[in-house]
Amino acid sequence: MEFFHLDVWTANAETFRVKLVDLGGTATEAEIVFDGIAQGEWVSLDIPMADFIAAGMTATNSIQQLIFSGLPTGTFDFYIDNVYFHKAPSAMGDTTCAVLQDFEGTAPAFTSFGNIADTQVIANPDMSGENTSANVAQLVKTAGSEVWAGTFFDVASPIDLSTCNMISVKSWSPKAGATVRLKIENSADNTQFYETDATTSSINTWETLVFDVSAAGALTYDRVVLFYDFGVAGDDSTYYFDQIEVVSTGGGSGGTPALPFQDFEGAAPAFTAFGNIADVQVIANPDMSGLNTTANVAELVKTAGSEVWAGAFFDVATPLDVNTYNKLSVKTWSPKMGAVVRLKIENSADNTQFFEIDLSTTTINAWEELEFDISGAADFNYDRVVLFFDFGVAGDDSVYYYDEFELKN
């Protein structure tokens, strides 16, 4: 999230203060002060999270306390409303049109089929990464169950696909490459249905699968069916799913599939480092957790005293398709939050033809996925990928890791 929002009203406060406290790991906090706040009217405060970071906060992934105070001490009152975190919408990002099920209220009535165990709503066994919600659905594909075994539940109102044409599901799987089939159907007439597949890409971690249902006919869809590891007989594997939503667009497993182009699992690319940093190496993943449990990653050490623009690049065999795809994602691990990561794509034969864009890290010592919007890139031959970590700051021997480059929409 990029902003912390709240509305405040006071008749007599002269100063209003808001403090965020993160209690995950080493406790960290920061306070923002508003002097001379307007009295007798509602004031909307949209505070950039970057302001809390600049004020000394070193982590924001486990905020458990919000502290409000003011001046003059003991002699004022204030009212607070509409407290939430948010980020600016992306023109190319997802828009949620409807939440079909998040398993936080009354559990739906599941019907399992194909000789698997009953689907249950349980406490989230892995509150990390893309899904930190309290409850999730658990599906165990019982050993020997049918290749088409699965489960379904009905929704109170038919699914409206008139505006949004994707369905996203947060999914946790013990297998990468497992087919997940989504089927929407008419509970009163099961001959009226639409189905489409997505494929898991991670092991024992949450990911978002996005299913393209834009080709679904104009029927009444009030039933959601999920088949895990479709086409394979059951082997007692356990799968979890959550937050089933109708969305407008999506990158990843639905629509135009994401296009991975470097994951460091095969022959390592030829890196060129510059700006007086050490050579980039492909090493065993030192933190196989969260968003990245792959075996190998790239390691970049920004050597003490190296240039503020130090970085490294590698070339790709096939030029990046910036006509089909408008985002480039990379998983990164950083010892610093708020460090600028600059991505540059260029023509190896003509380095005057390039596109570059910045993002900032938002976690410390944990994997996150940075998605760079490359929709503004001109139609050049981009066959070189350049990364600068902590751009604009001289090297201090900090170590960064990165992995899993993908093109997506």
Side-chain angles (χ1 to χ4, degrees), residues 19-352:
K19 179 186 289 185
L20 302 186
V21 183
D22 188 295
L23 297 176
T26 302
T28 180
E29 62 185 43
E31 184 174 73
I32 305 298
V33 179
F34 298 90
D35 289 317
I37 191 165
Q39 298 178 345
E41 63 183 72
W42 282 102
V43 178
S44 288
L45 302 177
D46 232 12
I47 310 171
M49 292 304 297
D51 288 0
F52 290 98
I53 295 169
M57 204 164 184
T58 58
T60 59
N61 59 344
S62 188
I63 294 172
Q64 297 178 41
Q65 290 182 357
L66 315 178
I67 301 176
F68 307 110
S69 62
L71 294 172
T73 302
T75 62
F76 70 91
D77 300 300
F78 54 78
Y79 301 90
I80 294 172
D81 199 8
N82 300 324
V83 181
Y84 56 85
F85 295 89
H86 73 99
K87 63 182 177 180
S90 166
M92 305 308 299
D94 293 347
T95 298
T96 300
C97 298
V99 178
L100 300 181
Q101 186 57 251
D102 63 5
F103 307 116
E104 297 306 318
T106 302
F110 286 103
T111 299
S112 298
F113 52 87
N115 299 318
I116 63 169
D118 291 338
T119 300
Q120 307 285 339
V121 173
I122 66 167
N124 187 347
D126 183 10
M127 295 177 67
S128 66
E130 293 190 22
N131 190 13
T132 57
S133 66
N135 299 320
V136 301
Q138 178 192 64
L139 183 152
V140 179
K141 194 161 182 184
T142 311
S145 59
E146 304 293 341
V147 298
W148 42 264
T151 191
F152 69 78
F153 64 89
D154 294 343
V155 294
S157 301
I159 301 169
D160 182 3
L161 301 177
S162 61
T163 303
C164 294
N165 54 23
M166 305 267 187
I167 293 179
S168 68
V169 180
K170 293 196 183 296
S171 173
W172 189 105
S173 166
K175 303 177 182 179
T179 297
V180 182
R181 175 161 292 184
L182 170 79
K183 182 179 184 181
I184 51 177
E185 69 177 43
N186 184 341
S187 63
D189 180 359
N190 63 12
T191 66
Q192 297 183 0
F193 68 89
Y194 181 80
E195 57 187 12
T196 183
D197 294 345
T199 304
T200 62
S201 61
S202 60
I203 297 175
N204 296 343
T205 189
W206 287 101
E207 65 179 321
T208 301
L209 303 180
V210 184
F211 299 84
D212 185 353
V213 293
S214 58
L219 305 173
T220 296
Y221 301 108
D222 59 353
R223 176 166 290 169
V224 178
V225 193
L226 279 174
F227 311 77
Y228 268 89
D229 208 11
F230 186 79
V232 179
D235 57 4
D236 281 335
S237 290
T238 301
Y239 304 88
Y240 305 105
F241 56 95
D242 195 12
Q243 297 183 36
I244 303 174
E245 300 179 347
V246 183
V247 298
S248 63
T249 60
S253 300
T256 304
L259 179 63
F261 64 89
Q262 183 55 256
D263 62 6
F264 307 118
E265 298 305 319
F271 288 101
T272 299
F274 52 86
N276 299 318
I277 64 170
D279 291 337
V280 173
Q281 306 288 336
V282 172
I283 65 167
N285 186 347
D287 183 9
M288 296 178 68
S289 66
L291 290 182
N292 190 12
T293 57
T294 62
N296 299 321
V297 301
E299 176 189 63
L300 183 151
V301 179
K302 194 162 181 183
T303 310
S306 59
E307 304 293 343
V308 299
W309 42 263
F313 67 79
F314 64 89
D315 294 344
V316 293
T318 303
L320 304 177
D321 183 356
V322 297
N323 294 313
T324 302
Y325 299 94
N326 51 49
K327 292 181 181 178
L328 192 156
S329 70
V330 57
K331 292 182 179 175
T332 67
W333 189 104
S334 166
K336 301 178 181 180
M337 182 169 61
V340 173
V341 181
R342 173 164 293 186
L343 169 78
K344 182 178 184 181
I345 53 177
E346 68 177 44
N347 183 345
S348 63
D350 180 357
N351 62 12
T352 67

